[in-house]
Amino acid sequence: MRAPFRRFALALVAAAAVAAAAACSSSSSQGQDTVRAGASPVAPAPGARSTTLTVPASQNGGALSTPRTLTVPAGWTIRVWARVPDARMEAWTPEGNLLVSSPGGGIVYELRPSATGTATVTTLLSHLTSPQGLAFARLDGSWVLYVAESDQIDRYPWGSGGISGPRTVIAGGLPDLDSDGDDVHRAKDVTVAGDGTVYFNVGSSSNANPDDRTMSPQRAVIMAVRPDGSDLRVVERGVRNGEGLAVAPDGSVWTAVNERDNIPYPSHTAYATYSDAFGQVIQAYVNNHPPDEVVPVTAGRDLGWPYCDPDQDDSKPAGSLADVPLVANAVTNPGGRALDCAALAPIEVGLPAHSAPLGITFLEGSKVPAPWSGGAVVAVHGSWDRHPPQAPAVLWLAWNASKDDLEPAVALVSGFEDADGSFWGRPVDAVPGSDGALYVSDDSAGAIYRLVPASS
């Protein structure tokens, strides 16, 4: 490990220790059961400072008509690079242009850097069904583009001038809209492992209905398929909405998972006004439970949803978002009768409840300077059911090469909320460019931000 990264990692550990001590101090003054109400906020990166978001005159309008201030690491700058409606997932073309999906319009845009420091936006693909995930890979010596529509995964040949041939559907008829669902997750991401295997998610049709686990085809899974469309299979199940997918430095595939809402209290103990709060939905508890998840995609693994929930109150130490154990859900799995949660692997990394993680990208091999290149970025969309709201942000998680694991997050970019708690911006994805900057999509403001690190 290089010395600068070691010093930075120690600073993160110290910050985490302070936060944990504060949480313990707060809970101990209010009684044992209040541990279950403890928040797990993401601390800003060490040395983070407020900076003004630069908005070129040509990029003004909408949410960006008002001056905005964001919190970024010291010396970093951020400016609007392009305006793209409903900007979601991103991927760089082999020629150095940025593709951005826009599910609401059924469009994939191509953004070409211009001499003015912004981008020229053109339409690459249109009339698609809620396209989101984008990924490039080599196939038989040539580049191909994978696009994840909400009902299928497409492959396009890519030549020097862009798409060079007709679309091939490598996985069709995927679960999409569901009239019986109470919380349908249509959007799909896609990533490609080193051996060419294509991974994608199929989100649940509900907040917490076990039927998703047994319907055919299954929902709440991560799936894989070969580039030619053969060997379509479920890899990981019990994944409520694994909308972010990326390949880690060790070659493993990871997913960022949106966990459930309105979770019932899991224990036969006193909480709030209840002498026995088991099975009760209590806002103070819902605010901070369950944590969202960042985990590797492992063949045969079950993340437990909706029978088992990650619970940081049972972590060691309590409140830790590393190696979070799973506990039985009070409504869908009382007493663990439907699924033995203790037999399931703990969640490698938790994020504060209702963060709503979307795009995840590992930065190793990019031109983003150290120590940031030794980790992953996760864009979190923010909450709808937390009071006060969980704010949108771009998070950074250090990669622990000795364990092939990620460490709990710090906030790389924050400040997308107004004083009243409403969100003016909501990051979706962040990808490194060949210039060492990070390009962040925001579907709420309809923008791509260019985030430039301080010189290393």
Side-chain angles (χ1 to χ4, degrees), residues 150-187:
S150 60
D151 59 351
Q152 63 188 33
I153 307 299
D154 308 326
R155 189 189 75 227
Y156 294 88
W158 189 271
S160 58
I163 292 173
S164 58
R167 172 179 68 184
T168 299
V169 177
I170 64 169
L174 300 176
D176 189 10
L177 293 170
D178 188 334
S179 59
D180 294 329
D182 59 50
D183 190 10
V184 181
H185 300 106
R186 302 179 63 195

XYZ file of all heavy atoms in Angstrom, residues 150-187:
278
model
N -35.749 -2.380 -20.488
C -36.443 -2.934 -19.331
C -36.987 -4.333 -19.581
O -37.291 -5.054 -18.628
C -37.574 -2.003 -18.894
O -38.513 -1.837 -19.929
N -37.100 -4.740 -20.863
C -37.644 -6.059 -21.162
C -36.670 -6.979 -21.889
O -37.004 -8.129 -22.188
C -38.924 -5.945 -21.984
C -38.724 -5.216 -23.312
O -37.613 -4.647 -23.532
O -39.651 -5.220 -24.135
N -35.451 -6.495 -22.185
C -34.487 -7.333 -22.899
C -33.091 -6.717 -22.837
O -32.924 -5.536 -22.542
C -34.902 -7.514 -24.357
C -34.936 -6.222 -25.157
C -35.538 -6.402 -26.543
O -36.439 -7.219 -26.746
N -35.037 -5.657 -27.525
N -32.097 -7.558 -23.154
C -30.705 -7.109 -23.222
C -30.267 -7.194 -24.679
O -30.380 -8.258 -25.315
C -29.775 -7.971 -22.347
C -30.313 -8.056 -20.910
C -28.358 -7.394 -22.353
C -30.432 -6.740 -20.199
N -29.770 -6.079 -25.217
C -29.406 -5.969 -26.626
C -27.885 -5.939 -26.798
O -27.159 -5.465 -25.925
C -29.966 -4.674 -27.229
C -31.448 -4.496 -26.988
O -32.171 -5.505 -26.959
O -31.878 -3.330 -26.817
N -27.443 -6.402 -27.962
C -26.029 -6.282 -28.354
C -25.961 -5.643 -29.737
O -26.661 -6.073 -30.668
C -25.357 -7.658 -28.385
C -23.843 -7.588 -28.564
C -23.237 -8.959 -28.821
N -23.507 -9.425 -30.178
C -23.939 -10.632 -30.497
N -24.187 -11.530 -29.558
N -24.159 -10.947 -31.759
N -25.120 -4.606 -29.872
C -24.932 -3.919 -31.146
C -23.460 -4.004 -31.558
O -22.573 -3.746 -30.724
C -25.287 -2.431 -31.033
C -26.745 -2.134 -30.760
C -27.215 -2.076 -29.451
C -27.627 -1.880 -31.800
C -28.544 -1.770 -29.190
C -28.960 -1.568 -31.544
C -29.409 -1.525 -30.242
O -30.732 -1.221 -29.985
N -23.163 -4.324 -32.810
C -21.769 -4.241 -33.268
C -21.348 -2.773 -33.330
O -22.146 -1.897 -33.658
C -21.814 -4.877 -34.654
C -23.224 -4.676 -35.123
C -24.085 -4.745 -33.891
N -20.077 -2.522 -33.001
C -19.588 -1.143 -32.945
C -18.359 -1.007 -33.836
O -17.377 -1.731 -33.669
C -19.237 -0.753 -31.507
C -18.939 0.697 -31.334
C -17.736 1.321 -31.458
C -19.891 1.723 -31.023
N -17.858 2.672 -31.244
C -19.178 2.951 -30.966
C -21.262 1.739 -30.779
C -19.796 4.173 -30.683
C -21.876 2.943 -30.493
C -21.147 4.144 -30.451
N -18.418 -0.076 -34.777
C -17.295 0.207 -35.651
C -16.741 1.595 -35.398
O -17.144 2.294 -34.455
N -15.828 2.034 -36.239
C -15.179 3.325 -36.036
C -16.159 4.488 -36.118
O -15.928 5.559 -35.540
C -14.069 3.521 -37.076
O -14.604 3.442 -38.393
N -17.289 4.289 -36.803
C -18.280 5.346 -36.918
C -19.461 5.178 -36.001
O -20.457 5.892 -36.118
N -19.387 4.222 -35.085
C -20.497 3.976 -34.166
C -21.140 2.620 -34.416
O -20.465 1.651 -34.792
N -22.439 2.522 -34.235
C -23.141 1.257 -34.454
C -23.013 0.855 -35.911
O -23.306 1.633 -36.814
C -24.617 1.393 -34.034
C -24.705 1.554 -32.507
C -25.427 0.184 -34.490
C -26.097 1.857 -32.004
N -22.567 -0.386 -36.133
C -22.218 -0.804 -37.497
C -23.049 -1.962 -38.014
O -22.694 -2.576 -39.033
C -20.736 -1.189 -37.548
O -20.450 -2.234 -36.634
N -24.138 -2.275 -37.342
C -24.967 -3.383 -37.803
C -26.226 -3.505 -36.973
O -26.466 -2.709 -36.055
N -27.053 -4.493 -37.267
C -28.345 -4.632 -36.586
C -28.191 -5.127 -35.154
O -27.191 -5.735 -34.777
C -29.095 -5.655 -37.439
C -28.009 -6.458 -38.090
C -26.887 -5.510 -38.337
N -29.211 -4.886 -34.380
C -29.280 -5.321 -32.986
C -29.487 -6.822 -32.890
O -30.215 -7.418 -33.682
C -30.432 -4.598 -32.295
C -30.748 -5.080 -30.896
C -31.888 -4.288 -30.282
N -33.164 -4.543 -30.965
C -34.290 -3.913 -30.653
N -34.302 -2.978 -29.731
N -35.402 -4.203 -31.307
N -28.843 -7.434 -31.894
C -29.105 -8.820 -31.522
C -29.620 -8.833 -30.093
O -28.985 -8.266 -29.195
C -27.823 -9.676 -31.601
O -27.330 -9.674 -32.938
C -28.102 -11.102 -31.164
N -30.768 -9.438 -29.872
C -31.309 -9.579 -28.519
C -30.722 -10.839 -27.910
O -30.958 -11.939 -28.409
C -32.850 -9.640 -28.535
C -33.383 -9.851 -27.126
C -33.427 -8.364 -29.141
N -29.949 -10.684 -26.827
C -29.310 -11.858 -26.221
C -30.090 -12.392 -25.018
O -29.853 -13.519 -24.572
C -27.853 -11.573 -25.825
C -27.773 -10.502 -24.729
C -27.034 -11.172 -27.040
C -26.387 -10.385 -24.122
N -31.025 -11.598 -24.506
C -31.918 -12.079 -23.439
C -33.228 -11.319 -23.590
O -33.286 -10.113 -23.330
C -31.302 -11.846 -22.065
N -34.276 -12.002 -24.032
C -35.559 -11.360 -24.292
C -36.638 -11.823 -23.342
O -36.460 -12.788 -22.574
N -37.774 -11.150 -23.378
C -38.914 -11.538 -22.558
C -38.664 -11.425 -21.067
O -39.210 -12.202 -20.275
N -37.843 -10.455 -20.663
C -37.507 -10.319 -19.247
C -38.664 -9.685 -18.481
O -39.440 -8.899 -19.036
C -36.252 -9.465 -19.098
C -34.997 -10.007 -19.783
C -33.841 -9.022 -19.633
C -34.611 -11.373 -19.232
N -38.799 -10.014 -17.189
C -39.858 -9.386 -16.393
C -39.742 -7.870 -16.434
O -38.663 -7.306 -16.247
C -39.587 -9.934 -14.983
C -38.888 -11.236 -15.210
C -38.026 -11.005 -16.422
N -40.870 -7.211 -16.663
C -40.862 -5.765 -16.845
C -42.017 -5.175 -16.030
O -42.005 -5.238 -14.818
C -40.970 -5.446 -18.336
C -40.765 -3.984 -18.670
O -40.354 -3.218 -17.780
O -41.016 -3.597 -19.818
N -43.002 -4.632 -16.686
C -44.179 -4.139 -15.985
C -44.939 -5.290 -15.335
O -44.920 -6.421 -15.832
C -45.093 -3.391 -16.955
C -44.549 -2.071 -17.518
C -45.456 -1.577 -18.637
C -44.432 -1.031 -16.420
N -45.606 -5.016 -14.221
C -46.379 -6.042 -13.531
C -47.576 -5.355 -12.885
O -47.433 -4.604 -11.916
C -45.532 -6.734 -12.470
C -46.216 -7.937 -11.852
O -47.451 -7.977 -11.853
O -45.511 -8.836 -11.368
N -48.751 -5.607 -13.436
C -49.958 -4.934 -12.953
C -50.295 -5.329 -11.524
O -51.018 -4.604 -10.828
C -51.140 -5.249 -13.868
O -51.370 -6.657 -13.927
N -49.773 -6.484 -11.072
C -50.057 -6.937 -9.708
C -49.027 -6.436 -8.707
O -49.201 -6.621 -7.499
C -50.093 -8.468 -9.660
C -51.249 -9.045 -10.457
O -52.301 -8.358 -10.526
O -51.104 -10.142 -11.014
N -47.956 -5.827 -9.180
C -46.895 -5.401 -8.276
C -47.240 -4.108 -7.553
O -47.948 -3.247 -8.073
N -46.719 -3.976 -6.322
C -46.960 -2.741 -5.559
C -45.757 -1.807 -5.602
O -45.839 -0.674 -5.122
C -47.319 -3.062 -4.102
C -46.227 -3.846 -3.374
O -45.052 -3.437 -3.412
O -46.549 -4.871 -2.747
N -44.637 -2.266 -6.150
C -43.430 -1.431 -6.251
C -42.545 -2.047 -7.340
O -41.561 -2.719 -7.048
C -42.702 -1.385 -4.908
C -41.580 -0.355 -4.878
O -41.487 0.455 -5.822
O -40.798 -0.369 -3.912
N -42.911 -1.814 -8.590
C -42.288 -2.520 -9.706
C -40.963 -1.857 -10.091
O -40.924 -0.652 -10.381
C -43.222 -2.557 -10.928
C -42.574 -3.326 -12.068
C -44.554 -3.195 -10.537
N -39.898 -2.646 -10.093
C -38.576 -2.154 -10.467
C -38.237 -2.674 -11.863
O -37.812 -3.811 -12.039
C -37.535 -2.624 -9.445
C -37.821 -2.124 -8.062
N -38.304 -2.936 -7.069
C -37.738 -0.886 -7.538
C -38.477 -2.225 -5.967
N -38.140 -0.966 -6.222
N -38.441 -1.807 -12.856
C -38.255 -2.194 -14.256
C -36.807 -2.059 -14.709
O -36.325 -2.849 -15.512
C -39.115 -1.313 -15.162
C -40.591 -1.307 -14.899
C -41.294 -0.371 -15.878
N -41.147 -0.798 -17.267
C -41.400 -0.036 -18.314
N -41.791 1.215 -18.138
N -41.245 -0.494 -19.542
N -36.145 -1.002 -14.250
C -34.847 -0.610 -14.824
C -33.793 -1.679 -14.628
O -33.708 -2.311 -13.570
C -34.384 0.703 -14.197
